[in-house]
Amino acid sequence: QVQLVESGGGLVQAGGSLRLSCAASGRTFSRYVTGWFRQAPGKEREFVSAISWSGGSTSYADSVKGRFTISRDNAKNTVLLQMNSLRPEDTAVYYCAGDPGHIFPTVVAGHYDYWGQGTQVTVSS
């Protein structure tokens, strides 16, 4: 089926930017809703953003609206998360996930069948 690999994480100072990439191996990934979640130590997994298979519908957590932008390039089986104006509270492991069961973005982690290994994002003050 689908294998997902995140990349682009790293260490950045507050106010800086990072671009996360989610690369998929499956032929059907273009038809999957794709979401980004994050988890900081001692905290629950948190929804960040999601995008429909067509790219026409997106969803963002209130905490990242206006700062993060999700997009996809189905020809390259890739979903991007552009993160600007980063804050220390954005520090977390970021996970890419694929959901074959929905047309529109979903914030429910349990709906996603495929998950990447995660990439660490650390924002220093």
Side-chain angles (χ1 to χ4, degrees):
Q1 289 289 326
V2 175
Q3 294 185 6
L4 306 177
V5 179
E6 304 96 333
S7 63
L11 175 64
V12 65
Q13 65 183 28
S17 298
L18 287 173
R19 186 179 71 180
L20 304 185
S21 296
C22 176
S25 63
R27 292 167 55 88
T28 60
F29 187 66
S30 64
R31 301 181 65 86
Y32 282 34
V33 169
T34 304
W36 286 95
F37 293 78
R38 66 188 182 187
Q39 187 166 23
K43 299 184 65 177
E44 295 294 318
R45 182 173 49 188
E46 177 187 23
F47 170 78
V48 177
S49 185
I51 187 168
S52 65
W53 64 266
S54 69
S57 297
T58 59
S59 182
Y60 297 92
D62 288 342
S63 60
V64 307
K65 285 181 179 177
R67 300 188 298 121
F68 291 10
T69 302
I70 190 170
S71 62
R72 72 190 307 156
D73 184 344
N74 289 334
K76 298 192 296 184
N77 285 340
T78 300
V79 173
L80 303 176
L81 184 68
Q82 178 66 45
M83 306 187 296
N84 298 326
S85 302
L86 285 164
R87 306 165 180 169
E89 53 264 40
D90 295 318
T91 296
V93 176
Y94 284 70
Y95 298 92
C96 175
D99 170 20
H102 293 82
I103 298 298
F104 299 103
T106 176
V107 305
V108 181
H111 289 172
Y112 292 85
D113 291 345
Y114 301 100
W115 294 81
Q117 82 291 339
T119 185
Q120 176 70 231
V121 171
T122 303
V123 184
S124 64
S125 58

